[in-house]
Amino acid sequence: MLDLMRPLPQPPLDARLLSKALGEGRVRGIAAELDAAARVDLRRAGGVLRRGLRDARALHSRERRLVSDALYDGFRWGPVLEVATGLNGFDGRWLGWLALHGLDPAELPDPARWQRFVAGDLPLDAGVLAGGQAVWEVLSAALGDRAAAFVATSNARAPVQIRAQGLTRDALARELADAGITTEPCTHAPLGLTVIGSANLRGHKAFTQGRFEVQDEGSQLLAGLVPTDADVLDLCAGAGGKSLALAAAGAHVTALDVRPSPLDELSKRARRARLTVHTRRLGPRGEVPEDVKPAAAVLVDAPCTGSGTWRRHPDLRWRLDELDATVALQAQILDRAADLVKPGGVLVYGTCSVLPAEDEAQVEAFLARHPDFALDPLGQPELGGEVLRVAPDTHGTDGFFGARLRRRH
């Protein structure tokens, strides 16, 4: 069962840092305060942690990294660590995490119990591994026999993956290798590289000069469903990873979003990459500005539960109770997007979810409401067949769904 806890930072923490984390001092105290604040509302824990870690100026850089890793891993494996140590709450999660990083088990209240855990002799049910019985029930209903494998892979940390921009990935790999940064090609995304080990990517001149963007392979694959020989509307652009990928491939892109701050970030990224992406803000209820005209291609990377991204955002598993409202919002956005597709054009619908209610069922319902659209099969059996369907347990990527819908007239 310990295999489910990997990969974790290696080698173990050095003795001095480990001792500081174990004692009842500043590091452990700040960690306990941040953890308590984040658990007031598990569904919003990620934002609370990010802000808290940013403002924890009493922590040195290595201490901040330790607290960040420990707390986020506590959301991945918290129930498991509590079972393994026999302690409930923060102490169980904190001490269990330290034990995984070199703490002598003799420092634990029940060393024998920990040894049983390490040996795989301590029973852990599916609800514990998923983060709660309610989470497990949703997953098992949606994924069937795949649910356990999905949970195990989603409890790991996600790899850092990048997309070459304006050059081949082989050329980018060589440039990074010259700086001691090791990469390997992604399996499916033609411009994707996986970074091996830790690296200061944002300090490399290839990043500051816009020759790569950090982007999961699944996200790259979704962007690849959009034609790039035409005008493209990216209707839920966010900070614009897919907009940038499309612009780099030659598309004329207009990125839209309700929120101004992600669009500002997109503009900064586009300037760094020397790419042109036009940005427009949607109305407060998602209204499209009147001067935005229909396009040959519209991308809707819809708001979703984020169930495919638990490796990066482990707190999102507690947002599954928002599923019904999310599905309703997706339908509204799709209906609005349909009016923006020119006759003969395509609407690409995608989510970072593995739940059929947000994916295949959403597409089926859209086609029933819009008989002038039809599924444009992708013909990629290795990536899902007629639609894009990738996930941590099947492809080693974040979970993504994508469907291309063509308007007949």
Side-chain angles (χ1 to χ4, degrees):
M1 196 60 68
L2 188 61
D3 289 342
L4 296 179
M5 314 302 279
R6 302 187 188 281
L8 288 169
Q10 297 294 332
L13 298 171
D14 67 55
R16 184 170 178 271
L17 191 58
L18 191 63
S19 176
K20 291 173 69 175
L22 180 62
E24 296 289 346
R26 171 172 45 84
V27 174
R28 185 167 176 170
I30 291 175
E33 290 177 3
L34 291 178
D35 187 70
R39 290 176 182 274
V40 169
D41 183 354
L42 289 172
R43 299 172 302 171
R44 306 291 182 262
V48 174
L49 284 183
R50 285 190 293 274
R51 291 189 294 272
L53 288 163
R54 180 192 61 210
D55 295 340
R57 294 181 175 85
L59 296 175
H60 303 310
S61 58
R62 295 178 68 210
E63 297 168 347
R64 189 187 308 271
R65 175 62 184 271
L66 181 152
V67 170
S68 175
D69 288 346
L71 295 188
Y72 275 101
D73 284 344
F75 280 98
R76 292 182 175 92
W77 310 311
V80 176
L81 295 174
E82 290 178 26
V83 170
T85 59
L87 295 172
N88 293 326
F90 173 78
D91 285 345
R93 297 186 294 271
W94 185 256
L95 291 175
W97 190 87
L98 293 178
L100 289 172
H101 289 73
L103 178 67
D104 187 342
E107 299 279 359
L108 299 174
D110 191 345
R113 184 183 182 89
W114 180 262
Q115 295 300 342
R116 287 177 60 205
F117 168 67
V118 171
D121 295 334
L122 198 62
L124 296 170
D125 63 33
V128 169
L129 294 173
Q133 191 60 35
V135 176
W136 173 249
E137 289 174 0
V138 172
L139 288 179
S140 58
L143 302 180
D145 293 341
R146 276 186 53 209
F150 173 78
V151 168
T153 52
S154 294
N155 279 350
R157 290 187 186 173
V160 175
Q161 295 178 315
I162 61 178
R163 173 181 51 79
Q165 195 160 252
L167 72 171
T168 67
R169 69 177 177 186
D170 289 344
L172 176 60
R174 289 193 294 271
E175 184 174 354
L176 294 175
D178 289 342
I181 300 174
T182 303
T183 62
E184 62 182 21
C186 289
T187 304
H188 303 290
L191 294 175
L193 291 168
T194 298
V195 179
I196 308 302
S198 59
N200 180 20
L201 291 174
R202 297 182 185 276
H204 194 281
K205 66 178 181 180
F207 177 78
T208 59
Q209 296 175 4
R211 291 196 290 280
F212 73 83
E213 292 287 339
V214 178
Q215 187 177 24
D216 178 78
E217 183 178 13
S219 177
Q220 296 179 45
L221 293 171
L222 178 58
L225 303 187
V226 183
T228 56
D229 58 352
D231 290 352
V232 177
L233 297 179
D234 186 353
L235 202 56
C236 305
K242 299 173 191 66
S243 290
L244 292 172
L246 295 170
H252 181 275
V253 181
T254 299
L256 303 100
D257 203 282
V258 173
R259 302 159 297 165
S261 55
L263 293 178
D264 291 342
E265 177 63 21
L266 168 55
S267 296
K268 293 177 184 177
R269 296 169 72 184
R271 286 194 295 271
R272 185 179 66 238
R274 297 176 178 82
L275 294 170
T276 298
V277 176
H278 303 281
T279 60
R280 296 298 304 277
R281 187 176 176 187
L282 298 171
R285 297 183 180 179
E287 303 93 339
V288 178
E290 292 183 0
D291 60 339
V292 173
K293 304 304 181 185
V298 176
L299 170 61
V300 173
D301 181 12
C304 67
T305 61
S307 56
T309 65
W310 289 355
R311 299 185 302 175
R312 303 179 194 280
H313 307 290
D315 57 302
L316 292 185
R317 69 189 68 203
W318 291 289
R319 293 193 187 182
L320 294 183
D321 61 351
E322 301 174 357
L323 177 59
D324 290 345
T326 301
V327 168
L329 175 61
Q330 291 164 350
Q332 293 174 11
I333 294 172
L334 273 172
D335 289 342
R336 184 175 290 124
D339 294 333
L340 295 172
V341 181
K342 289 181 177 179
V346 298
L347 169 58
V348 174
Y349 172 72
T351 73
C352 54
S353 173
V354 298
L355 303 181
E358 300 181 87
D359 299 337
E360 290 91 348
Q362 189 68 268
V363 169
E364 291 173 6
F366 172 83
L367 293 176
R369 296 192 305 273
H370 297 272
D372 53 332
F373 281 83
L375 182 67
D376 187 9
L378 303 180
Q380 298 177 327
E382 74 281 6
L383 295 177
E386 293 188 342
V387 297
L388 173 70
R389 167 66 80 186
V390 295
D393 57 309
T394 56
H395 294 80
T397 70
D398 284 355
F400 271 90
F401 171 86
R404 195 162 56 206
L405 310 169
R406 188 169 297 277
R407 186 173 188 175
R408 297 191 183 96
H409 52 76

